[in-house]
mmCIF file of all heavy atoms in Angstrom:
data_model
loop_
_atom_site.group_PDB
_atom_site.id
_atom_site.type_symbol
_atom_site.label_atom_id
_atom_site.label_comp_id
_atom_site.label_asym_id
_atom_site.label_seq_id
_atom_site.Cartn_x
_atom_site.Cartn_y
_atom_site.Cartn_z
ATOM 1 N N PHE B 294 6.868 3.323 -23.420
ATOM 2 C CA PHE B 294 5.479 2.997 -23.082
ATOM 3 C C PHE B 294 5.012 1.963 -24.081
ATOM 4 O O PHE B 294 5.162 2.144 -25.313
ATOM 5 C CB PHE B 294 4.663 4.229 -23.217
ATOM 6 C CG PHE B 294 3.403 4.183 -22.438
ATOM 7 C CD1 PHE B 294 3.434 4.165 -21.098
ATOM 8 C CD2 PHE B 294 2.235 4.176 -23.075
ATOM 9 C CE1 PHE B 294 2.240 4.149 -20.397
ATOM 10 C CE2 PHE B 294 0.970 4.155 -22.428
ATOM 11 C CZ PHE B 294 1.050 4.138 -20.986
ATOM 12 N N ARG B 295 4.373 0.908 -23.504
ATOM 13 C CA ARG B 295 4.155 -0.254 -24.480
ATOM 14 C C ARG B 295 2.828 -0.132 -25.136
ATOM 15 O O ARG B 295 2.615 -0.813 -26.150
ATOM 16 C CB ARG B 295 4.265 -1.574 -23.668
ATOM 17 C CG ARG B 295 3.131 -1.702 -22.668
ATOM 18 C CD ARG B 295 3.415 -2.795 -21.664
ATOM 19 N NE ARG B 295 2.865 -2.405 -20.459
ATOM 20 C CZ ARG B 295 1.624 -2.722 -20.066
ATOM 21 N NH1 ARG B 295 0.906 -3.515 -20.779
ATOM 22 N NH2 ARG B 295 1.125 -2.310 -18.952
ATOM 23 N N ARG B 296 1.919 0.664 -24.602
ATOM 24 C CA ARG B 296 0.630 0.672 -25.318
ATOM 25 C C ARG B 296 0.561 1.845 -26.299
ATOM 26 O O ARG B 296 1.213 2.882 -26.083
ATOM 27 C CB ARG B 296 -0.490 0.907 -24.237
ATOM 28 C CG ARG B 296 -0.653 -0.245 -23.296
ATOM 29 C CD ARG B 296 -1.917 -0.076 -22.509
ATOM 30 N NE ARG B 296 -1.901 0.842 -21.473
ATOM 31 C CZ ARG B 296 -2.865 1.635 -21.071
ATOM 32 N NH1 ARG B 296 -4.022 1.512 -21.643
ATOM 33 N NH2 ARG B 296 -2.711 2.458 -20.087
ATOM 34 N N PRO B 297 -0.179 1.718 -27.321
ATOM 35 C CA PRO B 297 -0.355 2.792 -28.314
ATOM 36 C C PRO B 297 -1.137 3.933 -27.608
ATOM 37 O O PRO B 297 -2.026 3.729 -26.926
ATOM 38 C CB PRO B 297 -1.145 2.218 -29.489
ATOM 39 C CG PRO B 297 -1.731 0.915 -29.038
ATOM 40 C CD PRO B 297 -0.903 0.503 -27.865
ATOM 41 N N LEU B 298 -0.799 5.189 -27.942
ATOM 42 C CA LEU B 298 -1.341 6.297 -27.209
ATOM 43 C C LEU B 298 -2.871 6.431 -27.402
ATOM 44 O O LEU B 298 -3.504 7.096 -26.680
ATOM 45 C CB LEU B 298 -0.589 7.630 -27.503
ATOM 46 C CG LEU B 298 0.835 7.618 -27.023
ATOM 47 C CD1 LEU B 298 1.542 8.843 -27.455
ATOM 48 C CD2 LEU B 298 0.833 7.475 -25.540
ATOM 49 N N SER B 299 -3.293 5.972 -28.593
ATOM 50 C CA SER B 299 -4.754 6.213 -28.819
ATOM 51 C C SER B 299 -5.597 5.265 -27.999
ATOM 52 O O SER B 299 -6.789 5.474 -27.849
ATOM 53 C CB SER B 299 -5.089 5.965 -30.304
ATOM 54 O OG SER B 299 -4.615 4.639 -30.602
ATOM 55 N N GLU B 300 -4.956 4.304 -27.342
ATOM 56 C CA GLU B 300 -5.704 3.369 -26.502
ATOM 57 C C GLU B 300 -5.642 3.714 -25.027
ATOM 58 O O GLU B 300 -6.161 3.108 -24.159
ATOM 59 C CB GLU B 300 -5.253 1.968 -26.687
ATOM 60 C CG GLU B 300 -5.652 1.327 -27.954
ATOM 61 C CD GLU B 300 -5.102 -0.070 -28.044
ATOM 62 O OE1 GLU B 300 -4.771 -0.640 -27.004
ATOM 63 O OE2 GLU B 300 -4.908 -0.544 -29.204
ATOM 64 N N VAL B 301 -4.718 4.747 -24.704
ATOM 65 C CA VAL B 301 -4.480 5.073 -23.314
ATOM 66 C C VAL B 301 -5.493 6.198 -23.011
ATOM 67 O O VAL B 301 -5.481 7.223 -23.618
ATOM 68 C CB VAL B 301 -3.047 5.615 -23.148
ATOM 69 C CG1 VAL B 301 -2.863 5.961 -21.685
ATOM 70 C CG2 VAL B 301 -2.132 4.543 -23.648
ATOM 71 N N ARG B 302 -6.323 5.875 -22.041
ATOM 72 C CA ARG B 302 -7.292 6.944 -21.736
ATOM 73 C C ARG B 302 -6.689 7.912 -20.756
ATOM 74 O O ARG B 302 -5.834 7.572 -19.952
ATOM 75 C CB ARG B 302 -8.509 6.303 -21.021
ATOM 76 C CG ARG B 302 -9.300 5.417 -21.997
ATOM 77 C CD ARG B 302 -10.653 5.190 -21.310
ATOM 78 N NE ARG B 302 -11.303 4.197 -22.152
ATOM 79 C CZ ARG B 302 -12.412 3.598 -21.712
ATOM 80 N NH1 ARG B 302 -12.914 3.867 -20.567
ATOM 81 N NH2 ARG B 302 -12.967 2.710 -22.518
ATOM 82 N N ILE B 303 -7.301 9.132 -20.752
ATOM 83 C CA ILE B 303 -6.801 10.114 -19.807
ATOM 84 C C ILE B 303 -7.112 9.664 -18.374
ATOM 85 O O ILE B 303 -6.305 9.747 -17.464
ATOM 86 C CB ILE B 303 -7.576 11.468 -19.976
ATOM 87 C CG1 ILE B 303 -7.360 11.936 -21.430
ATOM 88 C CG2 ILE B 303 -7.154 12.519 -19.063
ATOM 89 C CD1 ILE B 303 -6.085 12.704 -21.683
ATOM 90 N N THR B 304 -8.288 8.947 -18.235
ATOM 91 C CA THR B 304 -8.687 8.578 -16.903
ATOM 92 C C THR B 304 -7.886 7.364 -16.421
ATOM 93 O O THR B 304 -8.005 7.033 -15.258
ATOM 94 C CB THR B 304 -10.175 8.181 -16.894
ATOM 95 O OG1 THR B 304 -10.419 7.298 -17.992
ATOM 96 C CG2 THR B 304 -11.098 9.361 -17.012
ATOM 97 N N ASP B 305 -7.026 6.745 -17.301
ATOM 98 C CA ASP B 305 -6.158 5.734 -16.825
ATOM 99 C C ASP B 305 -5.223 6.338 -15.836
ATOM 100 O O ASP B 305 -4.705 5.578 -14.911
ATOM 101 C CB ASP B 305 -5.404 5.126 -17.955
ATOM 102 C CG ASP B 305 -6.232 4.104 -18.743
ATOM 103 O OD1 ASP B 305 -7.327 3.744 -18.224
ATOM 104 O OD2 ASP B 305 -5.808 3.697 -19.842
ATOM 105 N N PHE B 306 -4.835 7.574 -15.978
ATOM 106 C CA PHE B 306 -3.833 8.149 -15.113
ATOM 107 C C PHE B 306 -4.466 9.230 -14.197
ATOM 108 O O PHE B 306 -4.098 9.364 -13.031
ATOM 109 C CB PHE B 306 -2.666 8.846 -15.980
ATOM 110 C CG PHE B 306 -1.896 7.787 -16.590
ATOM 111 C CD1 PHE B 306 -1.964 7.507 -17.929
ATOM 112 C CD2 PHE B 306 -0.922 7.152 -15.871
ATOM 113 C CE1 PHE B 306 -1.189 6.554 -18.525
ATOM 114 C CE2 PHE B 306 -0.153 6.148 -16.437
ATOM 115 C CZ PHE B 306 -0.252 5.836 -17.779
ATOM 116 N N LEU B 307 -5.320 10.063 -14.737
ATOM 117 C CA LEU B 307 -5.853 11.156 -13.914
ATOM 118 C C LEU B 307 -7.118 10.801 -13.228
ATOM 119 O O LEU B 307 -7.599 11.615 -12.399
ATOM 120 C CB LEU B 307 -6.082 12.417 -14.794
ATOM 121 C CG LEU B 307 -4.778 13.284 -14.920
ATOM 122 C CD1 LEU B 307 -3.797 12.675 -15.827
ATOM 123 C CD2 LEU B 307 -5.261 14.682 -15.391
ATOM 124 N N GLY B 308 -7.678 9.713 -13.572
ATOM 125 C CA GLY B 308 -8.956 9.345 -12.944
ATOM 126 C C GLY B 308 -8.859 8.273 -11.987
ATOM 127 O O GLY B 308 -7.877 7.478 -11.941
ATOM 128 N N GLY B 309 -9.821 8.037 -11.203
ATOM 129 C CA GLY B 309 -9.817 6.965 -10.179
ATOM 130 C C GLY B 309 -10.777 5.900 -10.551
ATOM 131 O O GLY B 309 -11.331 5.231 -9.687
ATOM 132 N N VAL B 310 -10.950 5.605 -11.780
ATOM 133 C CA VAL B 310 -11.919 4.566 -12.226
ATOM 134 C C VAL B 310 -11.381 3.203 -11.796
ATOM 135 O O VAL B 310 -10.113 2.980 -11.755
ATOM 136 C CB VAL B 310 -12.193 4.608 -13.695
ATOM 137 C CG1 VAL B 310 -12.944 5.856 -14.008
ATOM 138 C CG2 VAL B 310 -10.956 4.434 -14.474
ATOM 139 N N ALA B 311 -12.232 2.261 -11.636
ATOM 140 C CA ALA B 311 -11.816 0.942 -11.155
ATOM 141 C C ALA B 311 -12.489 -0.094 -11.994
ATOM 142 O O ALA B 311 -13.461 0.135 -12.671
ATOM 143 C CB ALA B 311 -12.205 0.786 -9.681
ATOM 144 N N GLN B 312 -11.925 -1.212 -12.039
ATOM 145 C CA GLN B 312 -12.568 -2.374 -12.645
ATOM 146 C C GLN B 312 -13.512 -2.985 -11.627
ATOM 147 O O GLN B 312 -13.299 -3.011 -10.455
ATOM 148 C CB GLN B 312 -11.541 -3.459 -13.055
ATOM 149 C CG GLN B 312 -10.381 -2.946 -13.772
ATOM 150 C CD GLN B 312 -10.594 -2.705 -15.220
ATOM 151 O OE1 GLN B 312 -11.670 -3.091 -15.707
ATOM 152 N NE2 GLN B 312 -9.687 -2.091 -15.946
ATOM 153 N N VAL B 313 -14.632 -3.405 -12.096
ATOM 154 C CA VAL B 313 -15.693 -3.889 -11.181
ATOM 155 C C VAL B 313 -16.120 -5.311 -11.600
ATOM 156 O O VAL B 313 -16.186 -5.581 -12.760
ATOM 157 C CB VAL B 313 -16.892 -2.915 -11.234
ATOM 158 C CG1 VAL B 313 -18.138 -3.504 -10.733
ATOM 159 C CG2 VAL B 313 -16.593 -1.638 -10.537
ATOM 160 N N GLU B 314 -16.445 -6.102 -10.549
ATOM 161 C CA GLU B 314 -17.003 -7.415 -10.847
ATOM 162 C C GLU B 314 -18.289 -7.535 -10.133
ATOM 163 O O GLU B 314 -18.429 -7.335 -8.885
ATOM 164 C CB GLU B 314 -16.068 -8.490 -10.359
ATOM 165 C CG GLU B 314 -14.758 -8.612 -11.125
ATOM 166 C CD GLU B 314 -13.868 -9.619 -10.507
ATOM 167 O OE1 GLU B 314 -14.396 -10.440 -9.781
ATOM 168 O OE2 GLU B 314 -12.628 -9.428 -10.671
ATOM 169 N N VAL B 315 -19.365 -7.824 -10.823
ATOM 170 C CA VAL B 315 -20.746 -7.797 -10.260
ATOM 171 C C VAL B 315 -21.050 -9.163 -9.867
ATOM 172 O O VAL B 315 -20.693 -10.141 -10.494
ATOM 173 C CB VAL B 315 -21.688 -7.307 -11.297
ATOM 174 C CG1 VAL B 315 -23.146 -7.350 -10.740
ATOM 175 C CG2 VAL B 315 -21.395 -5.871 -11.750
ATOM 176 N N GLY B 316 -21.760 -9.261 -8.764
ATOM 177 C CA GLY B 316 -22.417 -10.573 -8.471
ATOM 178 C C GLY B 316 -21.873 -11.128 -7.158
ATOM 179 O O GLY B 316 -20.710 -11.263 -6.906
ATOM 180 N N GLU B 317 -22.810 -11.444 -6.259
ATOM 181 C CA GLU B 317 -22.359 -12.065 -5.039
ATOM 182 C C GLU B 317 -21.907 -13.495 -5.370
ATOM 183 O O GLU B 317 -22.556 -14.184 -6.160
ATOM 184 C CB GLU B 317 -23.426 -12.113 -3.976
ATOM 185 C CG GLU B 317 -24.756 -12.756 -4.530
ATOM 186 C CD GLU B 317 -25.880 -11.757 -4.419
ATOM 187 O OE1 GLU B 317 -26.390 -11.600 -3.272
ATOM 188 O OE2 GLU B 317 -26.225 -11.218 -5.412
ATOM 189 N N GLY B 318 -20.839 -13.959 -4.807
ATOM 190 C CA GLY B 318 -20.342 -15.280 -5.090
ATOM 191 C C GLY B 318 -19.604 -15.402 -6.361
ATOM 192 O O GLY B 318 -18.920 -16.330 -6.593
ATOM 193 N N VAL B 319 -19.726 -14.347 -7.242
ATOM 194 C CA VAL B 319 -18.982 -14.274 -8.468
ATOM 195 C C VAL B 319 -19.054 -15.637 -9.222
ATOM 196 O O VAL B 319 -18.142 -16.437 -9.193
ATOM 197 C CB VAL B 319 -17.546 -13.854 -8.230
ATOM 198 C CG1 VAL B 319 -16.860 -13.537 -9.544
ATOM 199 C CG2 VAL B 319 -17.464 -12.726 -7.303
ATOM 200 N N PRO B 320 -20.167 -15.895 -9.912
ATOM 201 C CA PRO B 320 -20.194 -17.123 -10.696
ATOM 202 C C PRO B 320 -19.121 -17.133 -11.800
ATOM 203 O O PRO B 320 -18.553 -16.106 -12.093
ATOM 204 C CB PRO B 320 -21.631 -17.064 -11.407
ATOM 205 C CG PRO B 320 -22.043 -15.698 -11.297
ATOM 206 C CD PRO B 320 -21.417 -15.103 -10.023
ATOM 207 N N VAL B 321 -18.864 -18.292 -12.321
ATOM 208 C CA VAL B 321 -17.661 -18.511 -13.153
ATOM 209 C C VAL B 321 -17.676 -17.603 -14.383
ATOM 210 O O VAL B 321 -16.668 -17.071 -14.778
ATOM 211 C CB VAL B 321 -17.594 -19.998 -13.526
ATOM 212 C CG1 VAL B 321 -16.435 -20.234 -14.422
ATOM 213 C CG2 VAL B 321 -17.540 -20.862 -12.289
ATOM 214 N N ASP B 322 -18.855 -17.449 -15.064
ATOM 215 C CA ASP B 322 -18.798 -16.688 -16.304
ATOM 216 C C ASP B 322 -18.528 -15.228 -16.009
ATOM 217 O O ASP B 322 -17.934 -14.587 -16.804
ATOM 218 C CB ASP B 322 -20.075 -16.918 -17.035
ATOM 219 C CG ASP B 322 -21.296 -16.847 -16.169
ATOM 220 O OD1 ASP B 322 -21.104 -17.166 -14.981
ATOM 221 O OD2 ASP B 322 -22.409 -16.485 -16.644
ATOM 222 N N THR B 323 -19.034 -14.695 -14.913
ATOM 223 C CA THR B 323 -18.742 -13.263 -14.577
ATOM 224 C C THR B 323 -17.241 -13.107 -14.462
ATOM 225 O O THR B 323 -16.707 -12.134 -14.901
ATOM 226 C CB THR B 323 -19.412 -12.859 -13.345
ATOM 227 O OG1 THR B 323 -20.788 -13.291 -13.367
ATOM 228 C CG2 THR B 323 -19.400 -11.335 -13.291
ATOM 229 N N ALA B 324 -16.677 -14.054 -13.805
ATOM 230 C CA ALA B 324 -15.127 -13.934 -13.599
ATOM 231 C C ALA B 324 -14.460 -13.940 -14.912
ATOM 232 O O ALA B 324 -13.485 -13.239 -15.210
ATOM 233 C CB ALA B 324 -14.717 -15.077 -12.670
ATOM 234 N N ALA B 325 -14.961 -14.889 -15.793
ATOM 235 C CA ALA B 325 -14.348 -14.929 -17.164
ATOM 236 C C ALA B 325 -14.498 -13.611 -17.932
ATOM 237 O O ALA B 325 -13.562 -13.194 -18.601
ATOM 238 C CB ALA B 325 -14.954 -16.082 -17.954
ATOM 239 N N VAL B 326 -15.748 -13.016 -17.760
ATOM 240 C CA VAL B 326 -15.854 -11.726 -18.459
ATOM 241 C C VAL B 326 -14.902 -10.794 -17.908
ATOM 242 O O VAL B 326 -14.283 -9.960 -18.663
ATOM 243 C CB VAL B 326 -17.389 -11.274 -18.274
ATOM 244 C CG1 VAL B 326 -17.494 -9.751 -18.666
ATOM 245 C CG2 VAL B 326 -18.278 -12.114 -19.115
ATOM 246 N N GLY B 327 -14.726 -10.775 -16.534
ATOM 247 C CA GLY B 327 -13.779 -9.786 -15.968
ATOM 248 C C GLY B 327 -12.435 -10.022 -16.552
ATOM 249 O O GLY B 327 -11.718 -9.014 -16.832
ATOM 250 N N GLU B 328 -12.012 -11.267 -16.778
ATOM 251 C CA GLU B 328 -10.616 -11.478 -17.261
ATOM 252 C C GLU B 328 -10.535 -10.984 -18.658
ATOM 253 O O GLU B 328 -9.497 -10.534 -19.129
ATOM 254 C CB GLU B 328 -10.251 -12.865 -17.111
ATOM 255 C CG GLU B 328 -9.990 -13.188 -15.677
ATOM 256 C CD GLU B 328 -9.534 -14.613 -15.484
ATOM 257 O OE1 GLU B 328 -8.533 -14.960 -16.030
ATOM 258 O OE2 GLU B 328 -10.272 -15.381 -14.737
#
Side-chain angles (χ1 to χ4, degrees):
Chain B
F294 200 70
R295 67 195 147 92
R296 291 192 285 149
L298 291 178
S299 55
E300 287 178 24
V301 182
R302 292 196 190 166
I303 305 275
T304 50
D305 282 348
F306 290 101
L307 271 73
V310 294
Q312 312 277 354
V313 163
E314 293 174 22
V315 178
E317 54 238 283
V319 190
V321 180
D322 42 336
T323 316
V326 165
E328 287 183 59

